[in-house]
């Protein structure tokens, strides 16, 4: 069974499943962060099959116990188990009699960092992913939910541009990609900020909602935190055609008019 409220649509994260398949084929920073960037919004499932709940249709009550599945890896690291569908929990358990708990993916990742040594997503499948706390923190900072509202807006595409700019301007931090030039001794001798060419032939600056978005786009890039207004000001000063938010997609291009509003936020 699923412990979501009656009428709630079952969670099936096909986008995360696709990213897990890419990670299984080539395990590197780009594909690992490709999984993390998608888990910065939406939901995941926790396996609560071993919980003791007197009345599954009623709210949690005295005497009930919530047990979340975890496992210990070969290195002795305790990992929270999360899944992209009930079907995958059933496959892991080897039975259709399962219970799951729907949670925001960002809350699951935060719990994995705070209470465990990391997370295992879709354990027991052909394409699982183990991500340790340091990797989660590197990809999504100490607060994976920091820019979740921006990501939700990018996916839904329902906000007015002014409201979207308001979200960007209020973000505690966004990220830009930087490329480091090093000498033969490995010392950094220079830093550049890459841009992208638009279909109109113009040069566009880049703004990302997390370090994971940066590395998934360019594995060699070093994410650097800044404010959205700073990105807008630099783009205007450099005469760029605009700025693309999260070029890995879903993305939104911002033109000069939007950048001027953002720069004043």
């Amino acid at each position: 069974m699923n412990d979501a409220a009656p009428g709630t649509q079952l969670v099936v994260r096909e986008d995360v499943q696709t990213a897990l398949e890419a990670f299984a084929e080539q395990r590197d920073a780009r594909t690992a962060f490709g999984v993390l960037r998608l888990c910065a919004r939406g939901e995941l499932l926790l396996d609560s099959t071993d919980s003791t709940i007197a009345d599954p249709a009623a709210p949690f009550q005295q005497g009930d116990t919530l047990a979340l599945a975890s496992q210990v890896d070969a290195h002795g690291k305790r990992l929270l188990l999360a899944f992209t569908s009930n079907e995958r929990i059933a496959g892991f358990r080897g039975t259709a009699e399962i219970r799951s708990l729907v949670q925001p993916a960002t809350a699951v990742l935060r719990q994995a960092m705070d209470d465990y040594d990391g997370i295992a997503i879709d354990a027991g499948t052909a394409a699982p992913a183990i991500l340790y706390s340091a990797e989660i923190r590197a990809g999504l900072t100490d607060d994976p939910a920091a820019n979740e509202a921006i990501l939700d807006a990018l996916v839904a595409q329902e906000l007015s541009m002014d409201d979207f700019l308001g979200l960007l301007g209020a973000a505690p931090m966004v990220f830009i990609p930087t490329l480091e030039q090093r000498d033969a001794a490995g010392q950094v001798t220079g830093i550049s900020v890459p841009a992208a060419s638009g279909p109109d032939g113009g040069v566009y600056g880049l703004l990302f909602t997390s370090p994971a978005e940066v590395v998934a786009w360019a594995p060699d890039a070093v994410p650097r935190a800044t404010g959205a207004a700073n990105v807008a000001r630099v783009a205007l000063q450099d005469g760029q055609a605009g700025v693309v938010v999260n070029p890995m997609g879903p993305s939104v291009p911002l033109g000069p008019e939007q950048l001027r509003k953002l720069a004043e936020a």
Side-chain angles (χ1 to χ4, degrees), residues 15 17 23 52 59 81 118 120 136 143-144 153 162 178-179 181 192 212 216 227 230 263:
D15 56 340
Q17 291 173 3
F23 180 65
T52 302
L81 299 186
I136 298 171
D143 183 8
D162 283 346
T178 62
L179 298 176
Q181 291 81 49
S192 61
N230 290 337

Side-chain angles (χ1 to χ4, degrees), residues 47-59:
D47 177 4
S48 58
T49 303
D50 292 332
S51 300
T52 302
I53 300 176
D55 182 1

Side-chain angles (χ1 to χ4, degrees), residues 115-224:
D115 301 335
Y116 299 80
D117 297 310
I119 194 168
I121 304 177
D122 281 356
T125 69
I130 291 177
L131 298 163
Y132 295 104
S133 297
E135 293 173 298
I136 298 171
R137 188 169 287 108
L140 297 178
T141 75
D142 288 326
D143 183 8
N147 287 333
E148 187 172 6
I150 298 173
L151 293 170
D152 286 341
L154 287 170
V155 171
Q157 299 283 315
E158 293 176 348
L159 284 185
S160 70
M161 180 54 72
D162 283 346
D163 287 342
F164 181 71
L165 293 175
L167 283 179
L168 279 179
M173 67 180 72
V174 295
F175 300 85
I176 59 171
T178 62
L179 298 176
E180 297 178 345
Q181 291 81 49
R182 297 178 180 270
D183 60 21
Q187 298 297 313
V188 176
T189 58
I191 294 175
S192 61
V193 179
S197 297
D200 57 0
V203 175
Y204 285 76
L206 301 168
L207 182 156
F208 298 83
T209 54
S210 70
E213 290 281 353
V214 174
V215 176
W217 177 75
D220 294 335
V222 177
R224 293 187 182 271

